[in-house]
Structure formats: C-alpha cells, structure tokens
Amino acid sequence: MEEAAVLGMIQHLKSLHIVCPDSQRLTMGLQIKMLKEMLDFMREFKIEERSRLKYLMADLVELAQDVMDSQSRFTLWDLTDDIEMTKIRMINFGADEKNVGDEEEAEEVVVGLEENVKQLLDRAIFKKSYALEIFCIKGMTGIGKTTLARQVYKAGACQFQRHAWVCCSSDTSNKEILMKLIQQMVVGYERDPPLEEMDNRSLLRMLCQHLQDMSYFIVLDNIPKEMGLDYIFEGLPYRGQGSRLLLISRFLITTAGINYTYEMKALDSDKSWKLFLKTINKFTSDEIKLSKELERKGKEMLKKCGGLPIAIIDVARKKAKQRLSGMEWEQLFDSIDLSESLKALEPMYHELENDMKPHFMHFSFFKENAIMRERKLKQIWAANGLDNPIMREIKLDYITVTREFVNSSILKIVKQHYSQMSCHLNPLLHTISIKKAEEKMGFEILRSNGYSRPSQNARHRVIQCGRDRFNHLTNENSKELISLIFHGGGSYLDDTSSSYWESFELLKILDMEDFGVKTISEKIGALTKLRYLGLRNNYIQAIPSSLVDLENLKVFDIALNFMVEVPNIIWQMGNLRHLHISDVIFRKPLKVDALRKLKTLTYISIYDLTYEVAGSERKYKIQTLGIEEVDENSDVGKLFASLAKISKFSNLYLRGFRFRSMPCLDEIGVIKGLEVLKLDGRIGRLPSADDLPQEIEYIALINTCLDEDPMPILEKLTFLSKLKLQNAYTGREMVIHCGGFPRLDALCINELWNLRKIQDENATWKLKKLEINNCPHLETLPEQIRRMAKLLKFKMVTTKHIATKIRNSGLTSKIVEEDIYP
C-alpha cells in the first residue's frame, strides 16, 4: 500500500515533468529523484517487516507527500534530514531493550525537587501567556527528568481543559504520537473510522480541530535524538488559550519555538544521603539513627553514585535487602555494587555514532570527577589520530564533537569561556569509558601498590601513584604504547633512571599534568613520535634541550610551572601548533616570524617576544595569543600593528604585570577580525567604542579597576554577545542606555565591590543570562528586569540581607531559572 502510494506520486510528477516550464524542471527532477530513493528503500523490506514498521512506513509516505508538494529545492534540502532520520529509525527498529510505552508509573521516592517543581509551575506552566509555550527538561539517563516532569504534570494538568502524557522511544512514529494524543484529549471520539486507518494528515487535522479554543498541557517523554517534532507542532493550535508543551529528553532539542530548556543537575551530598535514607526506609520501615561517623562513611560511599538518583535508589534497595538479612550498618557501607546502574547507563554509549565512540573512550585518560578543558580534549583526540580525513568529510570537527557530548547530556559544562569550555563527566559514565577503553582500545590502569603488572597488548596506559613507592618494573610490554598518562604524586619519576624512557618507541601522548614533577629527563627527546606533551601545573625548573628532537610534537603545555627556563629551541620545532606556557625564562626572545605555523601561544611575556610580522600574512596560522607582563612601558601599538597583518587572528589575551598599569589600548582597533578580548590587569581607561575592533563578540575585563563606567563604551559594540566584568570597575553606578548592547545575551558581573546601582534604560532586552556575584553593596536591580522577556537565567551570590531583599522585590519572579544564594 505504501509502496503503491509513492509509486503513484512518481508517475504523477513524471507526467508533469514533460510539460513543466524550464524554471521548475530542476526542482521537479529533484523531487522525482528523492521519491525514487524512498521507493527503493521501502522495497528492501519484506512484507512481514513492513507490517511491523507500519507506523514508520506511514511517516515515510507522509514525507513523500511533502516532497511532492514542495515547490522549492531549498525546502527539499530541509526535508532530506527528516527522511534520513526516519530511515535510520526504521533500520534500527526494535533495537531498544525496552520499548517505552504508557505504562503505569511506579510509586517514586522524590527528594530535592520541591523547589524545581515550584519554579517550573510558577514561572513556566502557570505563567500568564496566551500563546502556546514550549519548555524542555534535559539531562542524562537516570538523573530524574521524568520524575520532575511527573510532579509538574500532577500539580499542573488539572488547570488545563485538555491534557496528555505520551511516552516515546526510538521506534515511536509521528502517527503513534498523534493517535495517543487524540485518544487522551479528544472527548467522545467514536473510532469510526479507526485511527489506525487514517493517514497522518487526517489525524493532524482532527487533533487541531478538537484543540481549537481549548487550553491544553501535553508532555512528550523520552524523546529520541532522531525524532523531528515540527510535524507534531503543526497539529497544535498556537494562539488563544495559553497552552503548554513539555518535552523531556536527554538530547538538546533545537526545534524553533522552544521557550526554555531546564538542565537537570545531579544531587549534592546532602540530598543524595536524604534520598538514600528515604529509599531504605520505604523498604525496611526502620527508624534510621546513625552516628556522625557512620553518616560520613555512608556519604563517602554514595560519592560513587555521582548524585544520580537511579544509582542512589538502586544502591539503597540493595542495602535495604542486606539490612533486612541482619547485616549491621558498619558493614553495609564497606562496599557498593553499581552494576545495575552501569547497565542502565550503557545505552548512552551504544547510541553514539560510531565515529563518536573512540572520543568517549578517551575520557578514561582523565581522573574521576576531573574538570576537563575542551582544548585539552581536542588536542588529545587529535594526537591519537581522531582527526582523519574521513571525519572531515562528514563534517565532524572537534567543537562539534565536544558540543555533541554536551547536547546529549554526556558532558556537563561547568565553565564557559566564549567558544571554549570546561566540562565534567559523571563518575558512572567515567567508569563506562574505562570499561569500553579496556575492551576496545587496549587501555589499562596500573597502580602504585605494585600488584598490577603491564599487559602485553596495552596501547594506552594510566599509571596511578599514591603514597606508596611505585615499583618501576621494567619496560617490558611497553613497545606498543601510544598513550602514557600519570595521575597522583610525582615522586615516582624523580628517581627514575633515564633508561625508563627508552622503550616507548611509538608513544604519541605523554601527560603528567598535576603530577608534581620536578625534573624532566633528557631521554624524553628520544620519543620522536610524540605529538602531545603535557607538563602543566608541576614544579619543573628547566626544559631539556633534547625536546628539539621531538619533530612530530604538536602540543606542548608547560603552563603553571613557576619560572621555567626554556632553551632556544622552540623556533626549531617546525610541527608545533599549540604552545601553552607561563612564567617562563627564555634565553633569547622568540620571533613570531619563526613561529609561523603556531595556532596558539599563551602566555608569553611581552618582553620575550619580537613581533614584527614579515612576508605574506597568509604564512601565519596563529589564531590565539596570550601576552603577559604588559605594563606602561610596553609598546602595544607595535604588537597590534603586527597582529593586524595576520588574517585569521581572532583571540587576544593581555595580562598586566603585578601592580603596574597597562598602557592605553587606543590602537587595538587595527586588528579588524578580533573576536575575543580578555584584559587582566589595571588599566587607566578603555579605548573609545570607535577605537575597539568592531567585530568583537566577547570581552572579559578582569582586575582592570577602571575609575570610569565602562558601559557607555561597551554598549556601542554592535556584535558584542558576551561580557564579563570581574573587579573591573571601582565606581558606584553603572548606566546602560536605551539602544545599548543590541546583541548582548550573557552578562557576568563579579567583585565590583563599590557598585550600588545599575541603571538600565530598557537596553539589554535580548539578555538571556545574567550573573551577579560578590557585589556586597548592590541592594537593588534595574526595574527593567521585569520586562526582559528573553531573560531565562539569573544567578546571584551576595549577602543574606541583600538576597532576601532581592527575592522580596519580585523583580526576578518571572525568570524561569533563578538562583539567589544564600
């Protein structure tokens, strides 16, 4: 039936193609081509398979109808993604271990969601609005998204004339969603004809007609990544009754029209403990009284759950059974079994694209609960060959890879700096990354207790050093190693013989960040395959000259070592692309002209760099430059003139020298393509708006201690979207004028110790995120905050008195995500 429908469309278009005007011939040819491909795809399925996939088949036929109806090739290109996603869902049909249905909910143990429920109800669901508003709840598997949504639904659904809850899975079709919505919300439907016999468009019309002039509240739970929602939205009346659509997914939903996405957070230690005790009490009915020491021991055990409710509840159930069997509390907290929780989370790995799975496995290189810098992640991936041409062909660059992990709730952003960010991986997902890396890429962990020995097949090795002296062993089974990472204490390497490094012939990654290393062996120069050398945050005083032999080294990170002497070798390292340093002593100044292939150089003293750019600007690759020790004697004008000649240069960080002031930056405007500017250090005044780069998108002013209000200058920058002010201004009042900051969406104000008033003349109306921390005299907020329709997130850390005053003012009562502390 579906095959015949598509075949009929093709025949109809072919008959029109013969007589159509030349202007339509290209579009119609594309339509016929797309329909033929869909027909061929349908024919691959056997009769019994088509019956099993009947609802997804109906979606594909509907898309075929959309193709035939399209009058533009641009629209056809948009439909291509929907068609491909539907095909993927048909191919993977039944892959889920559990096909989620509208099953009866189990009685839930709920802890720590009361404030979230109230906030979502008051500021989203019950908010006064006459249009349909769409909200999302996003978070990793097991974090409590559905639990939160159920609490909101229970409290809010009765306020609407119609309401429905539909559970989805990767197999759920648009047709099934439409049928379930009609079954729950269309009162008195006689089922003639049966919904199963109606096509998608008829179902859509029916739903729209019955909801017209009605208020409704719909929850779509467990939305998979592949599901396109635009089609469902078309069947929902948009204006009139202030209806609500709540979407629940672990994936970021980017469909147009979404008003706000609430990101679920893991439970803190106290809430985790409370949930644990409440769950045990549910099963044992005990009145639990524990000593402070036992409570401390129990909380320490629960850290392994990473604040994830699914894991805490699972552990509590097991402990309740052990308790009922007579086990004492002291023994209960000695061990923890997370096998069931890990099994529940493992689909997060399996659902990744094949090209993403190796990236996920490399999280095993980091410590548990580490804050991972995106820049380091990208460099580690690249060093291990995950930047091959095949990946470039499918347009999977490294910003996209990291963002994809964030968008799918695998990584959580803990700090954002314009395009770069720092992320955290839940401990349970970290355990899965180790497990998969051991299974698939020859990963192993050796510990300093001496009981673990190197395996013969190891290609990636983490050495964890504790207080015990590490048994160096011999370098047997090390010839195939590609990655070597050290965690723990650095005394392990101080007495290591130089011969230790001689067998790592294939090593590409050597990372000793935070390891406490004091000296680096000259023998490291023998590691000629090395691409990444991480020595950040150690006690190293000198870099051996043998590093000049690392002809394949692309990343060298020796930042946060105090006063490191660097020999005159950097300019000879022709493949070096990223150099991260700070507080270094160069025997001779570096010449930018000799570093044409560098993309990143941070931070180097302005007096250690000769920056006259010679020759063609196209020879220079540098995009990011960090300069430190800038003072009033520094010739920044000459620096800016040189950087202006480099076509791709976009990020400049300037750090002052101790208590001296930086010079005037009036000539910085010559760097036309500058997008990011970070100033850290005292400065007398800012350049005028006309003298700043006009394309700048992010500015951070840190410790600048300006006497004059910077806002009248910064508000005139047309493309500025993010602004951070930290100890940047010493005055009492800031004024933002009408029409200022036309594109600003994030404003962070920290440590303005004298600030008492922010006057906003209805200027920052596009602001989405506002953060104010440690401004102890700022007792009021601008009245205009009430009218900032796009302001979704407000965070403030202040005194208890001011926090109470701000809450009572009601100025932030309409902001969906408000976090005022204390």
Side-chain angles (χ1 to χ4, degrees):
M1 179 179 171
E2 293 86 2
E3 183 181 328
V6 177
L7 186 58
M9 296 177 199
I10 293 171
Q11 297 302 331
H12 176 68
L13 286 176
K14 280 184 174 179
S15 65
L16 294 177
H17 189 257
I18 298 171
V19 296
C20 74
D22 291 343
S23 60
Q24 298 177 15
R25 198 172 292 276
L26 175 59
T27 298
M28 199 167 289
L30 284 172
Q31 289 173 309
I32 294 171
K33 180 176 180 291
M34 290 174 71
L35 290 174
K36 283 183 175 179
E37 290 174 353
M38 294 169 77
L39 184 63
D40 291 340
F41 178 76
M42 285 181 171
R43 286 172 172 168
E44 291 177 7
F45 292 96
K46 298 175 182 177
I47 298 298
E48 58 271 20
E49 289 177 320
R50 294 184 195 182
S51 175
R52 194 164 57 101
L53 301 172
K54 62 180 180 179
Y55 293 132
L56 286 171
M57 281 282 191
D59 283 2
L60 203 55
V61 171
E62 184 63 35
L63 286 168
Q65 187 67 53
D66 290 340
V67 168
M68 194 177 81
D69 294 344
S70 298
Q71 300 300 314
S72 166
R73 63 180 182 274
F74 300 108
T75 308
L76 290 172
W77 290 337
D78 291 337
L79 282 168
T80 301
D81 289 340
D82 293 336
I83 293 168
E84 288 305 314
M85 285 300 181
T86 304
K87 287 180 179 179
I88 290 170
R89 293 167 70 194
M90 292 175 73
I91 292 169
N92 295 330
F93 185 86
D96 288 354
E97 288 186 17
K98 179 181 179 182
N99 192 356
V100 180
D102 294 64
E103 66 271 12
E104 290 294 319
E105 64 183 85
E107 184 182 349
E108 295 170 308
V109 180
V110 181
V111 166
L113 295 180
E114 299 82 5
E115 190 62 36
N116 309 89
V117 171
K118 186 178 185 303
Q119 205 167 60
L120 284 171
L121 285 171
D122 294 346
R123 305 182 184 203
I125 306 304
F126 295 156
K127 183 175 85 170
K128 192 172 183 179
S129 169
Y130 294 103
L132 169 64
E133 295 206 1
I134 306 171
F135 300 97
C136 303
I137 297 177
K138 173 185 174 288
M140 66 178 288
T141 300
I143 202 167
K145 303 183 295 296
T146 300
T147 302
L148 173 60
R150 278 187 179 135
Q151 301 304 308
V152 171
Y153 187 71
K154 285 177 182 177
C158 59
Q159 302 294 318
F160 297 82
Q161 292 168 287
R162 297 287 184 267
H163 51 83
W165 181 295
V166 177
C167 294
C168 306
S169 74
S170 60
D171 297 341
T172 306
S173 66
N174 287 336
K175 183 167 184 174
E176 288 173 283
I177 293 175
L178 291 171
M179 289 165 53
K180 290 178 181 181
L181 289 175
I182 290 170
Q183 288 164 357
Q184 294 184 55
M185 292 197 298
V186 176
V187 178
Y189 176 61
E190 300 296 333
R191 298 183 175 273
D192 186 19
L195 297 179
E196 290 84 353
E197 295 180 7
M198 298 173 65
D199 61 29
N200 288 21
R201 293 191 177 188
S202 299
L203 293 170
L204 207 59
R205 281 194 298 272
M206 177 186 291
L207 182 63
C208 188
Q209 288 168 3
H210 280 82
L211 292 182
Q212 205 69 45
D213 300 323
M214 293 269 189
S215 66
Y216 57 87
F217 181 20
I218 296 172
V219 179
L220 299 182
D221 188 14
N222 193 39
I223 296 172
K225 181 181 179 182
E226 309 84 26
M227 181 173 286
L229 294 168
D230 289 339
Y231 190 81
I232 303 298
F233 294 167
E234 291 176 14
L236 301 176
Y238 184 73
R239 296 195 176 276
Q241 302 299 323
S243 299
R244 299 290 180 264
L245 176 58
L246 182 59
L247 310 174
I248 307 167
S249 180
R250 77 174 181 88
F251 301 99
L252 180 67
I253 300 174
T254 56
T255 305
I258 291 177
N259 297 78
Y260 169 71
T261 296
Y262 177 80
E263 294 245 12
M264 293 289 293
K265 299 178 179 66
L267 299 179
D268 61 24
S269 177
D270 289 338
K271 289 178 181 176
S272 296
W273 180 244
K274 187 176 178 181
L275 177 60
F276 176 77
L277 293 181
K278 194 172 179 180
T279 306
I280 284 188
N281 186 59
K282 176 184 173 183
F283 288 98
T284 63
S285 301
D286 278 354
E287 187 177 343
I288 302 171
K289 292 183 179 180
L290 300 174
S291 66
K292 289 289 184 183
E293 177 58 26
L294 277 176
E295 182 176 326
R296 183 201 63 77
K297 191 175 179 182
K299 286 183 175 180
E300 189 66 28
M301 175 194 72
L302 287 181
K303 283 183 180 179
K304 291 290 183 181
C305 296
L308 210 58
I310 191 176
I312 297 165
I313 291 170
D314 177 47
V315 169
R317 284 172 177 162
K318 291 173 181 174
K319 298 300 178 185
K321 289 181 181 179
Q322 292 174 332
R323 178 67 180 158
L324 289 170
S325 69
M327 187 177 289
E328 295 297 325
W329 287 110
E330 288 82 354
Q331 295 173 281
L332 283 178
F333 298 148
D334 285 340
S335 62
I336 186 170
D337 178 9
L338 293 168
S339 56
E340 290 300 315
S341 302
L342 292 171
K343 186 178 179 181
L345 293 177
E346 200 158 311
M348 293 183 71
Y349 166 79
H350 292 300
E351 290 167 9
L352 289 170
E353 298 288 340
N354 287 334
D355 292 300
M356 296 282 290
K357 289 176 180 176
H359 297 77
F360 177 86
M361 288 185 265
H362 279 71
F363 294 145
S364 60
F365 289 15
F366 294 80
K367 297 177 184 176
E368 182 178 283
N369 278 318
I371 303 301
M372 297 180 286
R373 302 185 305 279
E374 181 191 22
R375 181 181 64 202
K376 182 174 180 178
L377 276 171
K378 293 191 289 185
Q379 291 168 351
I380 290 285
W381 288 332
N384 260 335
L386 297 181
D387 59 342
N388 56 64
I390 296 174
M391 296 187 71
R392 289 197 197 97
E393 286 174 15
I394 63 171
K395 301 178 181 178
L396 190 62
D397 63 41
Y398 290 107
I399 291 178
T400 303
V401 169
T402 316
R403 273 286 166 192
E404 186 65 23
F405 284 127
V406 171
N407 292 347
S408 58
S409 302
I410 289 175
L411 288 179
K412 183 172 182 61
I413 298 175
V414 294
K415 188 177 180 182
Q416 180 83 48
H417 167 62
Y418 192 58
S419 59
Q420 292 291 321
M421 54 194 173
S422 298
C423 301
H424 175 256
L425 182 73
N426 187 277
L428 288 157
L429 291 178
H430 184 258
T431 301
I432 293 173
S433 74
I434 291 174
K435 176 186 173 185
K436 296 303 175 184
E438 289 172 340
E439 291 174 0
K440 300 179 180 296
M441 54 185 271
F443 175 78
E444 69 176 9
I445 297 177
L446 300 184
R447 293 176 173 82
S448 61
N449 55 24
Y451 296 117
S452 53
R453 296 191 64 85
S455 73
Q456 294 182 355
N457 301 319
R459 294 176 63 77
H460 308 277
R461 180 180 296 162
V462 166
I463 297 179
Q464 293 183 347
C465 298
R467 295 181 179 179
D468 299 330
R469 188 176 184 81
F470 192 88
N471 179 4
H472 294 171
L473 308 170
T474 62
N475 275 8
E476 57 183 305
N477 304 324
S478 296
K479 292 184 180 294
E480 300 298 317
L481 271 188
I482 295 174
S483 309
L484 182 59
I485 300 100
F486 293 92
H487 293 166
S491 60
Y492 161 54
L493 289 176
D494 290 342
D495 55 358
T496 305
S497 66
S498 58
S499 63
Y500 179 77
W501 302 104
E502 293 177 355
S503 296
F504 300 117
E505 298 172 2
L506 301 179
L507 204 64
K508 295 179 181 177
I509 294 174
L510 177 59
D511 187 20
M512 293 182 275
E513 182 172 340
D514 300 325
F515 195 60
V517 180
K518 296 178 182 177
T519 57
I520 299 296
S521 170
E522 283 280 350
K523 289 292 184 177
I524 284 184
L527 307 178
T528 56
K529 302 289 186 183
L530 207 63
R531 296 180 183 178
Y532 179 98
L533 179 56
L535 303 174
R536 173 179 287 251
N537 198 25
N538 284 292
Y539 305 103
I540 299 168
Q541 297 179 346
I543 298 300
S545 299
S546 63
L547 261 64
V548 73
D549 297 324
L550 302 181
E551 56 190 30
N552 290 298
L553 193 67
K554 292 190 175 183
V555 181
F556 183 29
D557 188 347
I558 196 170
L560 305 182
N561 286 267
F562 184 67
M563 304 303 288
V564 184
E565 186 172 349
V566 179
N568 190 31
I569 60 170
I570 299 295
W571 65 272
Q572 301 177 51
M573 301 170 75
N575 280 310
L576 195 63
R577 295 293 178 269
H578 305 280
L579 177 59
H580 306 290
I581 56 180
S582 59
D583 290 321
V584 300
I585 303 170
F586 284 100
R587 295 173 187 171
K588 290 183 180 180
L590 285 178
K591 294 182 179 180
V592 169
D593 191 50
L595 300 171
R596 290 179 177 177
K597 295 183 179 180
L598 270 185
K599 291 184 178 179
T600 307
L601 172 56
T602 62
Y603 276 87
I604 184 170
S605 169
I606 195 167
Y607 297 106
D608 281 334
L609 185 67
T610 58
Y611 32 78
E612 186 63 49
V613 171
S616 170
E617 62 181 37
R618 294 181 181 178
K619 293 181 180 179
Y620 294 87
K621 306 288 186 182
I622 195 157
Q623 298 170 5
T624 301
L625 177 63
I627 301 288
E628 61 185 1
E629 297 187 355
V630 180
D631 62 17
E632 60 268 19
N633 298 317
S634 305
D635 189 353
V636 292
K638 188 176 179 181
L639 170 67
F640 298 156
S642 296
L643 295 176
K645 299 177 183 178
I646 302 174
S647 59
K648 293 184 178 181
F649 184 77
S650 57
N651 306 314
L652 178 62
Y653 312 144
L654 296 178
R655 244 187 222 162
F657 183 67
R658 296 181 184 174
F659 300 107
R660 300 179 189 176
S661 291
M662 290 191 283
C664 174
L665 307 178
D666 285 345
E667 296 166 280
I668 197 171
V670 299
I671 313 176
K672 302 297 183 185
L674 194 66
E675 296 176 1
V676 176
L677 175 63
K678 180 178 178 181
L679 302 179
D680 186 348
R682 188 180 295 272
I683 187 169
R685 63 174 177 82
L686 287 179
S688 70
D690 292 337
D691 290 331
L692 285 166
Q694 296 305 298
E695 295 181 11
I696 203 158
E697 297 178 14
Y698 174 87
I699 291 180
L701 303 181
I702 302 170
N703 301 318
T704 51
C705 300
L706 293 163
D707 295 326
E708 295 183 9
D709 180 5
M711 294 309 200
I713 293 174
L714 300 175
E715 68 184 12
K716 296 175 183 176
L717 298 173
T718 307
F719 292 94
L720 190 66
S721 61
K722 291 176 174 55
L723 174 61
K724 178 179 180 179
L725 303 175
Q726 180 176 331
N727 192 25
Y729 170 51
T730 60
R732 294 189 170 202
E733 182 175 336
M734 290 198 308
V735 180
I736 304 172
H737 299 94
C738 184
F741 293 116
R743 298 193 184 183
L744 192 71
D745 61 34
L747 173 61
C748 180
I749 299 173
N750 291 343
E751 301 171 19
L752 301 193
W753 305 109
N754 298 323
L755 187 66
R756 283 162 169 76
K757 183 179 181 182
I758 301 174
Q759 184 176 331
D760 183 350
E761 299 176 355
N762 202 26
T764 54
W765 61 278
K766 287 194 174 180
L767 207 62
K768 296 177 182 177
K769 180 179 179 181
L770 175 60
E771 187 173 326
I772 302 175
N773 298 324
N774 300 319
C775 299
H777 298 292
L778 185 64
E779 298 191 15
T780 61
L781 298 175
E783 181 67 29
Q784 285 76 11
I785 280 184
R786 293 185 196 272
R787 297 189 288 275
M788 291 183 187
K790 296 191 176 184
L791 186 58
L792 299 173
K793 297 183 180 182
F794 174 72
K795 181 180 179 181
M796 189 172 191
V797 177
T798 183
T799 65
K800 188 173 183 179
H801 163 72
I802 295 176
T804 303
K805 190 173 179 179
I806 296 295
R807 285 193 196 96
N808 293 339
S809 72
L811 289 170
T812 60
S813 60
K814 292 184 179 180
I815 302 172
V816 182
E817 191 172 330
E818 176 199 72
D819 183 7
I820 301 176
Y821 183 84

